[in-house]
Amino acid sequence: MELGFEEMARGTKKTLLVHRREGCDDCHGAGAGDGRPPVRCSRCGGSGYQTVNQGFFAVRRACHACGGEGMTVESPCKRCDGSGLAAKKREVALNVPAGIEDGMVIPLRGQGEAGPRGGPPGDLHCVVRVDDHDLFVRSPRDPSDLFVEVPVPVSTALLGGRVEIPTLDGTESLAVDAGTEPGATVRVRGAGLPRLQRSGRGNLYVRLGYDVPRRPSRKLKKVLEGFAELEQKEIGPARKKFADELEKHRRRVAENGDDA
C-alpha cells in the first residue's frame, strides 16, 4: 500500500480492495456439486501422500489426485472446481498508525483467504510503502526525527537574524545566531514525527547552509569586494588556527628539505 508522507505523519484510515478466495456459495465450501460429502481418495488410500521409489531411495510426496487432503469429491462443484473456494472481492478497513516506517507490515488477523474444506481463514499482511518528501528526510537512527536543509543568506549567518523554516504543521521563524558557520545544525524539539507505539514526538534538525549567488549583480559585487577587503583584516578563529597550522607545515617541509 502506497502512503503519502503527510498521511504517514498524522496517521490515517484506508479501505483496501482485496481479491481473495472464500467459501464457495454454491457448494457451501464442501467442493461437491451434488451435495455429497467427500470420500476417501482411491489413489493414496486417504493418507494424503504417495511414496515414489527413486533408485535406493523412497520419496514421499503429496498425492496428486487429492492434493494431500486424503479426500476427493466425486462430482466437483462447477463454480469452484471442487476446491470449495471461490474468488471474491472484499473491502477491508485498515488503521495506519502515525509515524509508521517504510517497509513495515501491518497484519490483519482473519482477513486472508479461507482455509480448505471450511478451515479458518488466514491473515492479510499489508506492506506499507511511504513516499519521500520534498523537504524532510527521516533520521536513520531514530525514524521519528526529521532533517531539513535550509539555505541562509550570508549576511544573516554573519550578523544573525531570523529565517523561515518548514515544519509538519506549516512554517515557523527560527533564530540564527551571529557567526553561524555553514553546515551548522539547530534542533527544534518536538517538531518531528509522532513516535510509533510511544508517546511524544521526535525532533526536527535544521541544517543551515550559505546561499551564495552564482552571478552576483554589480551592486552586490561591489559590496562583496569591500567586504573581502575588511575580511582580510578581521580574521576569524578558524582561519587563525588554520594559518598557524599552515605555518608549522611550511617549517617542517623546509627543515626536511635542508636535511636532505
Side-chain angles (χ1 to χ4, degrees), residues 50 55 89 109 166 170:
Q50 292 176 301
K89 296 180 181 179
R109 306 302 181 190

Side-chain angles (χ1 to χ4, degrees), residues 1 14-22 90-95 104-114 121-128:
M1 183 189 63
K14 291 285 188 178
T15 300
L16 305 179
L17 181 60
V18 179
H19 298 257
R20 67 187 182 193
R21 295 189 303 167
E22 298 180 1
R90 297 294 186 189
E91 290 186 349
V92 178
L94 175 66
N95 292 323
M104 280 189 167
V105 179
I106 302 177
L108 297 174
R109 306 302 181 190
Q111 294 295 339
E113 293 196 338
D123 301 331
L124 174 65
H125 297 271
C126 181
V127 182
V128 178

Side-chain angles (χ1 to χ4, degrees), residues 56-90:
F56 294 100
F57 301 97
V59 180
R60 177 181 288 186
R61 297 176 179 173
C63 176
H64 295 290
C66 63
E69 294 184 15
M71 305 293 287
T72 59
V73 290
E74 296 180 350
S75 179
C77 173
K78 294 181 179 180
R79 182 177 182 183
C80 65
D81 198 25
S83 66
L85 301 175
K88 297 181 181 180
K89 296 180 181 179
R90 297 294 186 189

